[in-house]
Amino acid sequence: MARYIFITGGVVSSLGKGLASAALGALLQARGFSVRLRKLDPYLNVDPGTMSPFEHGEVFVTDDGAETDLDLGHYERFTGVAARATDSVSSGRIYSNVLEKERRGDYLGKTIQVIPHVTNEIKHFLDIGDNEVDFMLCEIGGTVGDIEGLPFFEAIRQFSQDRPRGQCIFMHLTLLPYLAASGELKTKPTQHSVKELRSIGIAPDVLVCRSEQPIPEKEREKIGLFCNVRKENVIPAYDLVSIYEAPLAYHRVGLDQAVLDAFGISPAPRPHLAVWEDVVDRIHNPEGEVRVAIVGKYTQLEDAYKSIREALTHGGMANRVKVRVDWVDAEVFDTEDPAARLEGFHAIVVPGGFGERGTEGKIKAAEFARTRKIPYLGICLGMQMAVIEAARNVAGLPTAGSEEFDHEAGQTRFEPVVYHLKEWVQGSRRIERRVDDDKGGTMRLGAYEAKLAEGSRVAAIYGTTRIEERHRHRYEVDTKYRDKLEACGLKFSGMSPDGRLPEIVEWDDHPWFIGVQFHPELKSKPFAPHPLFADFVRAAVETSRLV
Ligand code: GLN
């Protein structure tokens, strides 16, 4: 039976609960324990799949095809444990399950209530896989006091009572604001936040206090006293230059020790932190810098491309260089010449996206990279744009486009080089879709295998010809155009095992131009950079030497 750590937040949102949870997971692993991390989100969407990236940042996709919160990306990047569909749940999913059971008659005529029916459903979710790991870390989204979070807080309170004593602890993150006028750190908001938590029956065992200023010993004592937490369990959390410093930084201030003490695990196994020391060393001591442009649509919110940004950092670490990223809004190329904006970059990424807005700009960016021989990585929509560019400008199909944009506009303007995928196979399962299906959870989602062509650049990069990568898309490059495009030099170097779905394209006569239908960024880790990103940054380093 796993020990449970519940992570909650108070005072303000965006305190870095996800990062603290991920770092704690990594520290427990460093002490030899196995972990799994989970996120419980109070919003009413069934999952974040239908939310705009502007609303919620990136949607993180798991191997088993769930569209989840981006915090699951942090969890994977810090622990290397592949998240599952059962590691992410929202109020929407919980209520939807409860209502489905109610309609089926499973509750045998009972009146359905938040307590116990909703809370039981949450507890059932928490139980899943509890015999597989030493520690289950469960983060509750939002802040204590939010109306929609209440059933989750009640459920974790009940859960800790249901389990044997000492099997569950509560860790609460708060903020100590600094008043410059009086030169003081204020503890009152933390006291109020803990009071709120205690009023719903939860007494925190560990308090993590974010602060921009050093927290004096006497303030730590005061927080401990007023919040009824042992002084050594009041953990300061200061701002970091890089998120990858978090495991070592939290270890230095005693977070993992405090957690193990709270469980009464003594003596605590010694931590092995060499991996994280190497990660931090690579970040702090780069031997050069490359400039990469990300030409996208959601560029005002960096979280929309969180995993790509991180995977580029990992690629930089593999090559011991710093990767400087500039965000370029693809729509500027509707009026501006790409050369004026993209000149000087050592590599270009066109990321995934949905809808027509900005796509002509992305096509121009792909053309610029192809003709100027700048390394190009096209991800999902970025691959589709590279194929359309090739079709229009090299293969003599001037009206080439994607059915996605015609569907959106309700008219037929393009030759559908990229078409709506209506059936495919996943393992031994056949999946069928219609254009008017629901939007939620109906894309080609999760891990699929691909076969790489012998002798291709991608086979050399991966060091194998069988790979498995995560997908999230509805549209697909049409193999009808394969011969024509390959004759021009755009090779279909990765295909689904049945040979029907193009997974990777690459230009023959180019230093580094690769488009992938999947999302390699989701599997990259600081201690195991994804081979495509590592090699892409290597190519950028080479370009930087030429200019
Ligand atoms: N909109 C495209 C599709 O659905 C690409 C999706 C993506 O980039 N993730 O196929």
Side-chain angles (χ1 to χ4, degrees):
M1 203 191 284
R3 293 182 169 92
Y4 279 72
I5 304 170
F6 293 107
I7 298 119
T8 58
V11 183
V12 293
S13 58
S14 307
L15 279 180
K17 267 190 306 208
L19 186 58
S21 310
L24 176 58
L27 288 174
L28 291 170
Q29 283 181 320
R31 288 185 186 261
F33 296 107
S34 59
V35 300
R36 177 161 289 284
L37 287 101
R38 287 209 164 133
K39 180 84 192 274
L40 295 86
D41 272 308
Y43 51 72
L44 282 170
N45 302 64
V46 171
D47 63 41
T50 51
M51 282 191 229
S52 155
F54 287 125
E55 285 280 320
H56 195 69
E58 157 187 289
V59 173
F60 191 81
V61 183
T62 60
D63 280 331
D64 55 1
E67 298 177 279
T68 71
D69 187 85
L70 55 71
D71 273 323
L72 272 80
H74 281 314
Y75 303 165
E76 276 202 27
R77 281 188 284 274
F78 279 80
T79 63
V81 176
R84 301 180 188 148
T86 47
D87 293 329
S88 169
V89 82
S90 65
S91 293
R93 163 64 60 210
I94 295 287
Y95 279 97
S96 154
N97 290 356
V98 168
L99 294 176
E100 211 174 281
K101 286 186 187 167
E102 187 274 336
R103 290 291 82 183
R104 263 203 319 257
D106 290 4
Y107 296 116
L108 307 174
K110 288 269 183 245
T111 306
I112 310 307
Q113 296 181 298
V114 173
I115 306 171
H117 300 98
V118 170
T119 46
N120 280 353
E121 191 69 29
I122 297 171
K123 289 198 285 181
H124 168 68
F125 165 81
L126 293 170
D127 271 333
I128 300 169
D130 86 329
N131 52 356
E132 290 175 20
V133 287
D134 299 321
F135 287 97
M136 195 78 87
L137 286 75
C138 303
E139 177 190 350
I140 317 294
T143 41
V144 58
D146 296 346
I147 289 177
E148 60 266 47
L150 279 173
F152 287 110
F153 284 94
E154 170 61 13
I156 60 175
R157 184 196 67 74
Q158 289 178 15
F159 188 92
S160 74
Q161 290 295 318
D162 298 345
R163 295 271 155 154
R165 227 174 171 31
Q167 288 293 108
C168 300
I169 68 161
F170 296 94
M171 169 169 138
H172 190 57
L173 264 85
T174 70
L175 173 74
L176 302 186
Y178 178 71
L179 289 192
S182 57
E184 280 178 311
L185 275 177
K186 303 308 270 183
T187 63
K188 192 68 82 185
T190 297
Q191 294 177 38
H192 277 289
S193 176
V194 171
K195 201 167 137 197
E196 182 80 37
L197 208 53
R198 293 168 68 89
S199 75
I200 48 180
I202 295 173
D205 299 281
V206 177
L207 272 184
V208 174
C209 300
R210 285 294 302 271
S211 169
E212 287 175 358
Q213 300 287 332
I215 305 174
E217 252 337 87
K218 73 172 199 335
E219 294 301 314
R220 252 180 109 181
E221 266 166 36
K222 182 173 158 191
I223 296 167
L225 183 65
F226 281 84
C227 298
N228 198 29
V229 172
R230 291 158 55 132
K231 187 190 112 195
E232 3 2 314
N233 289 10
V234 178
I235 305 292
Y238 303 121
D239 295 348
L240 302 169
V241 176
S242 158
I243 56 170
Y244 297 118
E245 294 169 36
L248 294 181
Y250 273 124
H251 175 66
R252 275 195 299 271
V253 292
L255 176 65
D256 43 335
Q257 189 62 55
V259 165
L260 294 173
D261 283 350
F263 280 113
I265 298 175
S266 172
R270 268 165 48 87
H272 296 278
L273 295 164
V275 170
W276 290 103
E277 279 153 9
D278 180 53
V279 163
V280 170
D281 178 57
R282 283 171 186 270
I283 287 183
H284 285 316
N285 303 302
E287 286 159 11
E289 178 177 285
V290 290
R291 295 190 59 203
V292 176
I294 299 185
V295 182
K297 177 159 90 169
Y298 317 109
T299 47
Q300 298 98 306
L301 183 71
E302 283 189 26
D303 267 358
Y305 302 114
K306 187 78 198 149
S307 293
I308 295 183
R309 181 67 193 90
E310 296 309 320
L312 284 169
T313 301
H314 308 159
M317 288 158 68
N319 292 279
R320 282 204 172 268
V321 293
K322 181 174 160 60
V323 177
R324 210 179 107 190
V325 165
D326 279 43
W327 305 90
V328 179
D329 180 357
E331 274 183 286
V332 299
F333 301 141
D334 289 348
T335 50
E336 267 179 45
D337 175 17
R341 193 62 86 103
L342 294 177
E343 208 113 42
F345 286 105
H346 307 126
I348 295 170
V349 177
V350 174
F354 294 84
E356 187 170 8
R357 191 161 61 77
T359 51
E360 290 301 323
K362 292 176 187 174
I363 291 169
K364 284 188 189 158
E367 181 184 8
F368 178 83
R370 176 178 59 81
T371 53
R372 297 290 196 93
K373 306 258 186 247
I374 308 287
Y376 175 94
L377 174 58
I379 296 174
C380 208
L381 186 71
M383 161 180 170
Q384 297 173 357
M385 295 304 102
V387 171
I388 292 171
E389 192 279 318
R392 286 187 191 172
N393 301 330
V394 189
L397 299 166
T399 59
S402 169
E403 250 187 341
E404 177 175 4
F405 315 144
D406 274 349
H407 285 162
E408 195 181 38
Q411 49 180 304
T412 308
R413 297 162 295 164
F414 296 120
E415 170 149 8
V417 172
V418 178
Y419 71 104
H420 186 264
L421 186 65
K422 298 200 188 59
E423 51 168 80
W424 66 92
V425 282
Q426 181 169 37
S428 53
R429 231 163 34 110
R430 175 173 212 83
I431 300 180
E432 284 181 35
R433 294 282 184 263
R434 291 200 320 258
V435 178
D436 55 0
D437 275 344
D438 280 354
K439 287 279 177 283
T442 54
M443 281 188 258
R444 183 173 173 234
L445 287 167
Y448 283 87
E449 224 190 295
K451 260 165 68 181
L452 311 185
E454 301 274 358
S456 61
R457 181 186 292 275
V458 282
I461 292 173
Y462 276 98
T464 171
T465 53
R466 294 296 278 222
I467 59 163
E468 207 180 74
E469 293 279 8
R470 296 182 193 169
H471 291 65
R472 180 173 187 251
H473 58 110
R474 228 180 279 287
Y475 295 84
E476 196 83 38
V477 171
D478 198 332
T479 44
K480 223 166 52 190
Y481 301 92
R482 179 173 182 172
D483 290 347
K484 206 171 196 143
L485 288 164
E486 290 206 322
C488 300
L490 185 69
K491 294 286 152 52
F492 286 40
S493 52
M495 299 294 292
S496 58
D498 63 5
R500 289 180 55 211
L501 308 176
E503 294 278 7
I504 307 178
V505 296
E506 58 183 65
W507 275 107
D508 249 356
D509 181 24
H510 191 287
W512 210 102
F513 192 114
I514 293 174
V516 292
Q517 188 57 74
F518 46 81
H519 291 274
E521 71 274 18
L522 303 179
K523 297 222 293 198
S524 190
K525 324 260 179 340
F527 44 82
H530 191 287
L532 275 178
F533 281 90
D535 204 60
F536 177 62
V537 174
R538 184 200 53 73
V541 172
E542 263 172 38
T543 312
S544 73
R545 296 213 174 104
L546 299 175
V547 289

